[in-house]
């Protein structure tokens, strides 16, 4: 089966005791499946159906004019570009963090381990306000950058900064478990055959991390596409420059136009699903290519 | 199949952290679902939560954010007044953006009394048949215990010499404003600029349009909310002028000795009329009409009008207003109705999809 390396290794390295014989006859699989379906139905399918139902009240003409407006299209472009940019930044930042957390015991390791998850706990609007204050032209970071001509707050760069902040834990936590269970024998084998450390890193370590990294990338991306709280305060919301789709959706709601909001939400969702499906396909191919068959 | 399922449970036993589960290959559906769920929850609201009738003694007040201190003071007074009259009551309050609060009540928040930033947000409740359609006529003073207006906030010393609405159109003035699409303060600012231009010598719709076009066509930040715009201007130091509620401007001045600002009152502005209404459908359901009426009457008392003045709102009561006249700049104020006919007419022309504001913002491309 198509399971990522950490899963397969986990099951070999930490094999749990075999279940008591009679457990095998209990219909736990069916029960678990029924439970999974119920929960997913209540939490995902029903709200989504309600959303789609709301959106379906819109006439075809109004949907077309809403979704083809240049400003809305620009907002979609800005949303996707800043989200993808942020996810790539997260990838770059997450590799060294995940590597050090997964491989080494260094002073303050547990603190770093705990702090990595902070962006998940912080209310996103607080994060947005803080990052805006930090990176605006009067802020400590922004003043420094402004002297070299770089503006962050109230530009697409600021949006990406906020998105990278909220997305970082997802990428770190996707890669870290795989770093923990790297195939040491492959590393040793490569070294004993005379591979340099760079070659080991590039040809042996990196391929093992690629599927997990893509997963982390996708989760951070998914999180970013619908992000509102952290973005509105740092974006400045200028049409064609820094206006994201989630802002449009909230503006429609505030204006007592839930149908238009639902149409935009469904459009964002559809576009996100297409993008995420593409990333999922990429990850499957990476797993097939980089993870040896015996570890699947 | 069964074997595979148990394989997964082993994995999570070995790595009891949620992120281990995330590194499975089949993430796309579940995370698309998570995104969907967030969106759906936002749009679906919290569902109907009216529940069973509450006893006479409990009142829920839903108010817009800027009225927070005022409502908390009113509630304190109300409790002691009721206690003095031998009645034990409880009052709960809920705060949020004006439009958001209206939507929450439409979606089932069982508020007995609403205090919202714009009469139009109460109209939304009337459209949902929660409030009588003639709610504004039913009460004197249009249901608002106090008014406010729109003013400018500039940096100390007014370095760009901003005096009136026409200065906001100047190319050397960086304007910070909330986005009229999402903020009620911003809608009023836009309409105030329009109304001012109409009232100038040789004023015309064309002049008004070119003024708002210049303002919103070049604003350097269009925050989602009035508070967001204040933060951008005050904390983050962006822009030369902020257009906002008068009471917010005075609050900002009170709080900011560190980075001094000045308030500039234009030569004419719009009257902002927050609205109080009893939510008929909810009080009938809860049996709290008498309680709600006593609460609304309390907001009209001189004591509460004084409290409103302390919060930098302009009291509706002429007597109290006269006592505080020196605190508020004398400025000719015009209403939405006399300038635009009605709120819905103003909205349809300026803020609807494809309306003038959309066209102005489209032109920023």
């Amino acid at each position: 089966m198509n399971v990522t390396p950490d899963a397969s290794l986990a099951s070999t390295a930490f094999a749990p005791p075999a279940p008591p014989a009679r457990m095998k006859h209990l219909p736990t699989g069916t029960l678990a499946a029924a439970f999974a379906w119920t929960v997913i139905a209540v939490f995902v399918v029903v709200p989504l159906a309600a959303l789609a139902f709301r959106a379906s009240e819109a006439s075809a003409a109004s949907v077309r004019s809403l979704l083809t407006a240049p400003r809305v299209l620009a907002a979609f472009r800005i949303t996707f570009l800043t989200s993808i940019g942020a996810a790539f930044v997260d990838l770059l930042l997450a590799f060294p963090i995940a590597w050090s957390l997964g491989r080494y015991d260094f002073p303050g390791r547990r603190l770093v381990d705990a702090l990595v998850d902070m962006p998940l706990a912080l209310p996103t609007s607080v994060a947005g306000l803080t990052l805006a204050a930090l990176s605006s032209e009067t802020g400590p970071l922004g003043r420094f950058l402004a002297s070299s001509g770089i503006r962050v707050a109230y530009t697409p760069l600021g949006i990406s900064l906020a998105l990278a902040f909220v997305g970082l834990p997802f990428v770190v936590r996707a890669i870290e478990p795989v770093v923990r269970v790297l195939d040491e024998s492959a590393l040793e084998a490569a070294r004993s055959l005379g591979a340099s450390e760079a070659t080991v890193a590039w040809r042996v370590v990196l391929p093992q991390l690629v599927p997990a990294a893509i997963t982390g990338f996708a989760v951070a991306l998914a999180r970013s596409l619908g992000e509102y709280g952290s973005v509105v305060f740092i974006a400045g919301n200028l049409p064609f420059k820094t206006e994201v789709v989630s802002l449009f959706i909230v503006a429609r709601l505030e204006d007592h136009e839930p149908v238009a909001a639902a149409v935009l939400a469904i459009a964002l969702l559809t576009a996100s699903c297409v993008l995420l499906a593409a990333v999922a396909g990429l990850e499957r191919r990476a797993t097939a290519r980089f993870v040896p068959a015996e570890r699947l | 199949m069964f074997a595979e399922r148990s394989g997964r449970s082993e994995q999570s036993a070995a790595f009891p952290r949620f992120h281990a589960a995330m590194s499975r290959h089949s993430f796309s559906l579940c995370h698309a679902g998570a995104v969907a769920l967030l969106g759906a929850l936002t749009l679906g609201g919290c569902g109907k939560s009216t529940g069973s009738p509450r006893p006479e003694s409990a009142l829920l007040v839903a108010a817009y954010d800027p009225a927070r201190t005022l409502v908390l003071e009113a509630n304190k007074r109300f409790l002691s007044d009721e206690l003095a009259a031998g009645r034990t009551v409880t009052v709960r309050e809920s705060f949020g953006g004006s439009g958001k609060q209206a939507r929450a009540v439409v979606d089932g928040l069982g508020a007995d009394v609403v205090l919202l930033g714009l009469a139009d947000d109460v109209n939304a409740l009337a459209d949902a048949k929660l409030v009588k359609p003639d709610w504004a006529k039913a009460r004197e003073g249009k249901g608002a215990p106090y008014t406010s207006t729109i003013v400018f906030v500039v940096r100390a010393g007014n370095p760009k010499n901003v005096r009136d609405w026409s200065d906001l159109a100047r190319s050397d003035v960086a304007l910070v404003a909330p986005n009229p699409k999402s903020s009620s303060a911003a809608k009023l600012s836009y309409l105030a600029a329009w109304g001012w231009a109409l009232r100038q010598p040789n004023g015309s719709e064309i002049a008004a349009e070119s003024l708002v076009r210049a303002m919103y066509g070049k604003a350097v930040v269009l925050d989602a909310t009035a508070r967001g715009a204040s933060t951008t201007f005050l904390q983050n130091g962006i822009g030369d002028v902020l257009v906002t509620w008068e009471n917010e401007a005075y609050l900002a001045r009170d709080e900011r000795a560190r980075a001094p600002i000045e308030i500039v009152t234009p030569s004419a502005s719009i009257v902002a009329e927050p609205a109080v209404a009893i939510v008929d459908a909810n009080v009938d359901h809860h049996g709290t009409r008498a309680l709600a009426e006593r609460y609304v009457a309390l907001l009209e008392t001189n004591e509460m009008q004084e409290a409103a003045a302390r919060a930098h709102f302009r009291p509706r009561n002429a007597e109290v207003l006269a006592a505080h006249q020196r605190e508020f700049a004398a400025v000719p104020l015009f209403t939405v109705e006399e300038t635009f006919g009605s709120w819905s007419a103003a909205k349809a022309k300026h803020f609807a999809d494809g309306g003038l504001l959309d066209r102005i913002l489209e032109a920023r491309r």
Side-chain angles (χ1 to χ4, degrees), chain A residues 146-175:
Chain A
S147 62
S148 34
I150 303 170
R151 287 186 60 223
V152 178
Y154 311 107
T155 70
L157 215 54
I159 302 179
S160 280
L161 173 69
L163 295 177
F165 177 82
V166 294
L168 185 62
F170 295 104
V171 189
V172 173
R173 295 312 187 194
I175 300 176

Side-chain angles (χ1 to χ4, degrees), chain A residues 79-89 160 163 217 221 224-225 275:
Chain A
T79 304
F80 279 86
L81 288 181
T82 52
S83 297
I84 292 170
F88 272 114
V89 169
S160 280
L163 295 177
F217 178 86
L221 186 61
S224 294
L225 291 171
L275 184 62

Side-chain angles (χ1 to χ4, degrees), chain A residues 2 4 6 11 16 43 47 51 71 133 136 138 154 173 215 218 222 236-238 240 252-256 283, chain B residues 10 19 22-23 25 27 35-37 40 43 103 121 181 187 219-220 222 224 232 236 238 353 358 361-362 365:
Chain A
N2 221 358
T4 42
D6 60 314
S11 52
F43 281 123
L51 183 66
R71 221 174 116 207
S136 75
T138 53
Y154 311 107
R173 295 312 187 194
T215 302
N237 312 317
L238 297 176
F240 302 104
R252 300 333 287 143
L253 283 175
E254 295 289 305
D255 239 14
H256 307 292
E283 199 235 359
Chain B
E10 285 161 26
H19 42 266
M22 294 196 328
S23 48
H25 69 283
F27 63 84
V35 177
L37 181 62
L43 285 175
R103 197 173 70 244
D121 286 321
K181 275 278 184 185
K187 284 191 179 72
V220 291
L222 288 168
T232 297
N236 300 344
I238 303 291
D353 272 331
D358 269 355
L361 294 179
E362 289 279 346
R365 189 143 50 130

Side-chain angles (χ1 to χ4, degrees), chain A residues 180-230:
Chain A
R180 272 182 211 284
V181 296
L182 273 182
D183 190 348
E184 294 292 340
S185 58
L187 266 64
E188 286 306 313
R191 285 194 191 107
S192 70
L193 291 170
S196 67
E197 284 304 303
T199 310
V200 171
W202 183 249
R203 303 288 298 274
V204 184
V205 174
L206 197 63
Q208 296 189 58
L209 302 182
V210 163
I214 297 178
T215 302
F217 178 86
V219 181
L221 186 61
R223 169 70 201 255
S224 294
L225 291 171
E227 179 63 22
Y228 176 75
S230 64

Side-chain angles (χ1 to χ4, degrees), chain B residues 151-153 244-254 261 263:
Chain B
V151 299
F152 311 152
V153 179
T244 190
W245 298 114
E246 181 181 52
N247 60 300
E248 290 275 319
Y250 279 83
L251 279 179
R253 192 195 55 184
D254 291 353
I261 51 160
I263 295 170

